[in-house]
Amino acid sequence: EIMLTQSPGTVSLSPGERATLSCRASQSVSNSYLAWYQQKPGQAPRLLIYDASSRAAGIPDRFSGSGSGTDFKLTISRLEPEDSAVYYCQQYGGSPGFIFGPGTKVEIK
Amino acid sequence: QVLLVQSGAEVKEPGASVKVSCKASGYTFTSNILHWVRQAPGQGPELMGAINPGGGGTTYAEKFRGRVTMTRDTDTRTVYMELTSLTSQDTAVYYCARRASSYWALDVWGQGTTVIVSS
């Protein structure tokens, strides 16, 4: 079974700065079936990126995904206060399908 | 507008069962797999399993096999998740989420149902 690790655990940045979040898989992810979600307190996760680098509908272009194989990144190019959240990577594969990483918390100073 | 609306919060005693519903609207109900994901306090999401509303076929995560049953009612466009033999470890927010039509991710989520297991 594929395991996902995310780093850093928490990152604290100022508005306008760039955030780079990492997700590493224990085995190569098939066909880049890797997604990123944003979750704010008391809310359901929200899909940001699918297939490693495709933005979901309605997601601002300051969010971008990259990577392949076992190493993936989510970049938030210009942080805004509303980007304060926990970000999860998720891989599709095997049964019953989806595995989530432990998350990275983004704090806005 | 695509929506998944879940049933309300539940408080259960240890050993009991809980059944959570998820009503879909705004799309063809039988076209997308629906997943159940739970999130314990302070933890990340955890996939429990999935149901194909079209044929009713299900797949469950190993951890929940034998305790979870997912069903659907095509007349009311509703899927259900029943979890039995509850313990305090099952205290969590339970979400239904739709698998996207053309890619492998969960593009629409219900609002979540809080289940508290306590004596």
Side-chain angles (χ1 to χ4, degrees), chain A residues 33 35 37 39 43-45 47 50-51 88 90 92 95-98 100, chain B residues 35 39 43-45 47 59-61 95 99 103-107 109-110:
Chain A
Y33 290 151
Y37 298 82
Q39 188 176 32
Q43 297 184 17
L47 178 65
Y50 64 91
D51 289 352
Y88 296 99
Q90 168 242 297
Y92 176 82
S95 177
F98 295 105
F100 292 87
Chain B
H35 292 258
Q39 191 168 28
Q43 304 297 311
L47 182 72
T59 180
Y60 303 134
Y95 296 99
R99 187 192 300 179
Y103 52 85
W104 299 102
L106 303 173
D107 64 346
W109 292 65

Side-chain angles (χ1 to χ4, degrees), chain A residues 75-97:
Chain A
T75 300
I76 311 172
S77 59
R78 300 170 303 280
L79 280 166
E80 298 192 4
E82 61 263 31
D83 297 333
S84 178
V86 179
Y87 293 81
Y88 296 99
C89 61
Q90 168 242 297
Q91 176 264 339
Y92 176 82
S95 177

